[in-house]
Amino acid sequence: MHKRCRVAVVVVLILIASQAVAATKAEKARQKVLAAKIDAILAEPQAARGFWGVEVVSLRSGTTLYERNAEKLFTPASNTKLFITAAALALIGPEHKFRTTVEAAAAPDRYGRISGDLMLVGRGDPNLSGRTLPYKTRTERGQPPVFVLEQLADQLAARGVRVVEGDVVADDTYFVFERYAEGWSYDDVARAWGAPVSALSLNDNVLFIRILPGERAGEKAFVTLDPFPETFQIDNRLVTTAAGSGPRNVVVDRQPGSNTLTLWGSIPADDTGTSEAIALEDPADFSARIFRRLLERRGINVYGKARARHQEPMGLPTFHVTATASAGGGPVETGSAVPRTVVLATHESLPLLEDLRVINKVSQNLHAEMALRLLGREKGTAGSIEAGLSVLQFFLTPAGVNPAEVVLYDGSGLSRKNLVSPRAVVGLLRYAAGQPWGAAYRETLPVAGQDGSLAERFRGTGAEGRVQAKTGSMEHVKSLSGYLTTLGGEPIAFSILSNNHTFSYEQADAVIDRIVQAVVDDRTARRRKK
């Protein structure tokens, strides 16, 4: 090589090296500034009492911009859903659809008779309800809670079914009969957020209770249930007080295993009323009884009972027989496998992606649990918690997430036994961002200041519309993990997990939001482009 050429090459290499050194120094200075901001927030007295884990990584360069206890294990609350929904998108696929069918051993004869049982078969559709899909900014329920069952009953009537000589059987054996996961609180399972899991889930497995004041002080409040109010016995001790007497004080209690609702407290006569969702005990049994009633309303005579068919965790399917208004109950039976059947009516869901959006936008626990069991059923050995978690571990390994930093007992995050590290969460987010389904995954997350569980947060700040992240809340637990774009235009994956704090949910949110805002405010990336 000519001497001048060699000199030129050396000069270029020196310039490149100098630029690299300068860039490294600038990056370190940037990290130092960000660290100072976040450390100051977490050093404040209330925040300092808690245990914090934070990791912030540039999706462009892979550089870790900030970390604190990133490898430590935290209770993640609903950040658990990030793992389940990612695995569902990757392994099941966004276009998967659920089929709910009505089946019998044979088609109706020329007189419209079904000689045996009529089976309502669930296959894990979480949206057998009046929920409006696709989800847009907030939950809407434009149809009656039993709308899908009404459609199925209409199909049977149109097909000429007039008599069912056997029972109405609600079959949820597509999933193993595991209503609750290990580590759930006793206080949770009677509430909407702890609704039991079933492959045949109707109206999110809850009843809506509506409470209105009586006409005058001293009278009992009005209490209504929808749908199928016969499900619960109501012990109403709720008293109407004088108009203007102060805020309502309403307590609704249902003990796990009980079908008695007890209400007490007071509600002023000028109160506009309140409502609450109460979890069911056995969703398939509930569906069987409602479906039987819907058939009778259409002139279809049912001679048999309403009962549920479950797949017990370690045994054969069982028949749970329930008494109805027109037929007495019977003993619990043990049955064999379902014989070949004829499909008489069908409901097909919208694509799975629409429900993953519901799961992450509004943090829907039941739907997340059903997604976990769907993973086990479709990609593992059974529609069970254990099988679903085994599939999840299989998914995480090639994603580069350390299995030792993801210890899960459920799909929703309701279990107090769940443990994950901020590094594992960010590792998942980084992996997802590079996958064909990554854009769809990101789109399922709440948008700051706009929708879902972030609709009221970050409004009027630089973070509004720039953050897409999953929230998480439990007593002494707060989390927020997802994606953001800085004011400098740099894409970021982040995870903020907080345990053992003593301040309110609102105060915890405020601390997390300040950390996120500090990351968003970085304009370094824009300056580098100039």
Side-chain angles (χ1 to χ4, degrees):
M1 183 182 293
H2 194 278
K3 184 175 181 180
R4 287 183 179 177
C5 291
R6 288 198 298 270
V7 171
V9 169
V10 170
V11 170
V12 170
L13 292 174
I14 291 173
L15 287 173
I16 292 173
S18 298
Q19 290 174 349
V21 170
T24 300
K25 288 182 178 179
E27 191 64 44
K28 288 183 177 180
R30 173 195 184 192
Q31 293 172 29
K32 188 174 181 180
V33 170
L34 180 62
K37 290 180 179 179
I38 297 177
D39 287 344
I41 293 170
L42 296 181
E44 293 175 4
Q46 278 194 309
R49 292 192 186 98
F51 183 41
W52 291 85
V54 184
E55 179 146 290
V56 180
V57 175
S58 167
L59 288 174
R60 180 181 296 161
S61 66
T63 302
T64 299
L65 303 179
Y66 180 86
E67 62 180 356
R68 172 186 287 228
N69 297 322
E71 77 290 351
K72 301 296 185 183
L73 297 178
F74 292 77
T75 300
S78 283
N79 272 204
T80 300
K81 295 180 176 73
L82 289 169
F83 293 90
I84 306 306
T85 53
L89 268 177
L91 302 179
I92 305 296
E95 297 303 317
H96 176 85
K97 294 183 178 181
F98 303 93
R99 286 179 70 246
T100 304
T101 58
V102 181
E103 305 175 11
D109 64 18
R110 61 178 178 167
Y111 302 107
R113 294 179 301 196
I114 301 293
S115 61
D117 295 334
L118 189 69
M119 289 169 288
L120 175 65
V121 184
R123 296 179 181 85
D125 188 344
N127 289 297
L128 300 179
S129 66
R131 185 187 298 275
T132 299
L133 294 177
Y135 173 90
K136 294 180 180 178
T137 69
R138 62 187 177 88
T139 297
E140 296 179 275
R141 298 183 186 273
Q143 299 291 346
V146 296
F147 177 64
V148 174
L149 292 194
E150 288 180 335
Q151 288 184 317
L152 291 170
D154 287 341
Q155 290 181 47
L156 291 177
R159 186 152 180 168
V161 176
R162 295 293 176 263
V163 175
V164 177
E165 295 183 341
D167 298 339
V168 173
V169 182
D171 186 322
D172 71 351
T173 57
Y174 186 79
F175 293 160
V176 173
F177 191 52
E178 298 172 306
R179 289 178 291 178
Y180 313 110
E182 188 175 343
W184 286 20
S185 170
Y186 177 88
D187 297 333
D188 291 329
V189 298
R191 300 296 180 179
W193 58 84
V197 184
S198 169
L200 185 54
S201 289
L202 182 67
N203 194 43
D204 294 337
N205 295 340
V206 300
L207 265 71
F208 299 123
I209 182 169
R210 176 73 174 155
I211 302 169
L212 293 168
E215 293 184 0
R216 56 186 63 84
E219 294 183 348
K220 287 187 177 181
F222 291 110
V223 179
T224 58
L225 286 170
D226 184 45
F228 204 65
E230 296 90 339
T231 302
F232 290 127
Q233 304 247 341
I234 298 178
D235 180 4
N236 183 8
R237 309 176 192 177
L238 188 57
V239 178
T240 305
T241 55
S245 59
R248 78 174 77 97
N249 177 27
V250 175
V251 178
V252 181
D253 179 69
R254 181 181 75 79
Q255 294 297 306
S258 168
N259 281 331
T260 297
L261 283 180
T262 304
L263 299 89
W264 67 86
S266 61
I267 183 168
D270 58 347
D271 195 284
T272 57
T274 186
S275 59
E276 190 170 341
I278 302 296
L280 302 166
E281 277 293 312
D282 187 336
D285 164 71
F286 177 70
S287 298
R289 288 186 285 151
I290 285 188
F291 196 54
R292 187 181 191 278
R293 172 165 293 189
L294 293 176
L295 294 175
E296 291 177 333
R297 286 177 181 173
R298 286 156 177 78
I300 300 174
N301 293 318
V302 180
Y303 295 157
K305 307 172 181 66
R307 54 186 171 90
R309 186 174 193 272
H310 302 305
Q311 177 66 53
E312 299 295 344
M314 297 301 293
L316 295 172
T318 60
F319 296 114
H320 293 270
V321 182
T322 303
T324 62
S326 58
V332 174
E333 307 170 42
T334 300
S336 57
V338 177
R340 189 179 301 275
T341 58
V342 174
V343 175
L344 303 177
T346 302
H347 171 78
E348 186 173 79
S349 74
L350 291 178
L352 174 63
L353 178 60
E354 299 301 334
D355 189 60
L356 299 182
R357 184 181 290 113
V358 171
I359 290 173
N360 283 335
K361 291 286 189 183
V362 303
S363 206
Q364 224 295 339
N365 288 343
L366 170 65
H367 295 206
E369 293 297 335
M370 295 177 76
L372 174 63
R373 289 155 178 80
L374 179 68
L375 284 169
R377 171 74 192 208
E378 293 293 321
K379 299 298 178 180
T381 58
S384 66
I385 297 172
E386 181 180 9
L389 292 174
S390 294
V391 171
L392 178 66
Q393 288 294 323
F394 174 80
F395 162 73
L396 291 177
T397 301
V401 177
N402 184 353
E405 295 183 14
V406 181
V407 182
L408 299 182
Y409 287 80
D410 69 7
S412 63
L414 201 56
S415 175
R416 283 280 179 176
K417 292 191 171 186
N418 290 338
L419 294 171
V420 303
S421 71
R423 184 163 296 161
V425 177
V426 171
L428 171 75
L429 294 168
R430 292 178 65 188
Y431 173 76
Q435 301 306 304
W437 44 270
Y441 177 62
R442 182 167 181 161
E443 193 273 332
T444 68
L445 301 176
V447 180
Q450 295 182 10
D451 66 18
S453 55
L454 286 181
E456 303 301 322
R457 290 170 66 176
F458 299 104
R459 284 190 172 181
T461 73
E464 182 173 354
R466 289 180 171 271
V467 179
Q468 291 172 279
K470 182 72 199 72
T471 54
S473 299
M474 297 174 74
E475 191 71 24
H476 309 304
V477 175
K478 267 289 183 176
S479 53
L480 186 69
S481 302
Y483 302 101
L484 63 81
T485 303
T486 69
L487 295 178
E490 185 168 18
I492 301 290
F494 71 94
S495 179
I496 305 170
L497 306 180
S498 172
N499 286 186
N500 304 329
H501 58 249
T502 57
F503 37 40
S504 69
Y505 282 177
E506 292 75 18
Q507 290 171 320
D509 283 343
V511 173
I512 290 173
D513 292 357
R514 289 170 61 196
I515 295 172
V516 170
Q517 191 66 59
V519 180
V520 169
D521 285 345
D522 181 29
R523 299 175 184 268
T524 308
R526 181 175 294 171
R527 289 200 296 268
R528 284 204 302 266
K529 290 180 179 180
K530 293 182 179 180

